[in-house]
Amino acid sequence: MSHSVSFTLPKDYAFVAAVGLSTSFLAAYHTVLSIRFRIKAKIRHPQFYAELKQTQEDPNALRFNCAQRAHENMLEHLPIFLAGLAWTGIRYPLISSALGLSWIMTRFFYTRGYTSENPGNRGRWFTTSVSTLGLLIGLGFYSTFELYRGQWS
């Protein structure tokens, strides 16, 4: 027995789309930071990270490593975020857009903290980012449950 579901995207889904597309600016920010610290630390391609000795001798090499890791971490979370945003936004477009914007902002401040003079400054922003992502995914599972129960109209 198969079931089909048809739906119309809510008008407010435009906010969801805008938030999703704005992650491209976050990715560009990460790229620019990595390039800037790579140049300052004189780390040539294809070297992906500065060696330990380089980080001990040049604070820009450490900051380059932190920028690279922050970029990787953002890319690791991005597919989960975008999938959660897209699905949750169908049922709860304004809440998911607010959570999405919050996630983007916390990722920005996480990266700023990580690439500062003290990489430990990223801690609270990472926790906030993961918590926001958890709320978005949790709401997505809740909306899935609502769909299963026939509560979508």
Side-chain angles (χ1 to χ4, degrees):
M1 177 180 211
S2 68
H3 297 336
S4 65
V5 176
S6 63
F7 59 90
T8 302
L9 290 175
K11 180 180 177 187
D12 291 338
Y13 199 80
F15 294 115
V16 176
V19 169
L21 289 171
S22 68
T23 60
S24 62
F25 296 112
L26 182 65
Y29 171 69
H30 281 89
T31 301
V32 167
L33 277 182
S34 292
I35 291 170
R36 182 171 42 158
F37 289 122
R38 178 184 290 279
I39 291 169
K40 285 183 177 183
K42 298 179 178 82
I43 297 170
R44 299 181 55 137
H45 283 286
Q47 187 176 347
F48 198 66
Y49 282 107
E51 300 293 331
L52 178 60
K53 183 178 179 188
Q54 290 173 294
T55 64
Q56 292 168 337
E57 294 171 356
D58 184 356
N60 285 313
L62 176 61
R63 292 174 86 185
F64 168 69
N65 281 0
C66 292
Q68 286 285 86
R69 184 62 197 120
H71 194 177
E72 283 180 57
N73 188 266
M74 187 271 301
L75 292 173
E76 291 164 358
H77 288 99
L78 190 59
I80 299 165
F81 168 75
L82 290 173
L85 180 70
W87 174 250
T88 306
I90 294 170
R91 179 74 169 154
Y92 298 105
L94 295 178
I95 295 171
S96 64
S97 296
L99 288 170
L101 187 58
S102 175
W103 183 82
I104 291 170
M105 290 171 47
T106 59
R107 294 308 305 186
F108 173 80
F109 289 114
Y110 165 82
T111 302
R112 289 215 28 195
Y114 205 171
T115 58
S116 69
E117 297 294 323
N118 179 7
N121 289 339
R122 74 187 189 279
R124 75 171 182 227
W125 295 111
F126 180 77
T127 303
T128 306
S129 171
V130 170
S131 299
T132 303
L133 184 58
L135 287 170
L136 182 65
I137 298 302
L139 186 58
F141 277 111
Y142 179 73
S143 66
T144 301
F145 178 72
E146 287 181 318
L147 176 63
Y148 176 76
R149 300 269 319 228
Q151 295 171 327
W152 284 31
S153 51

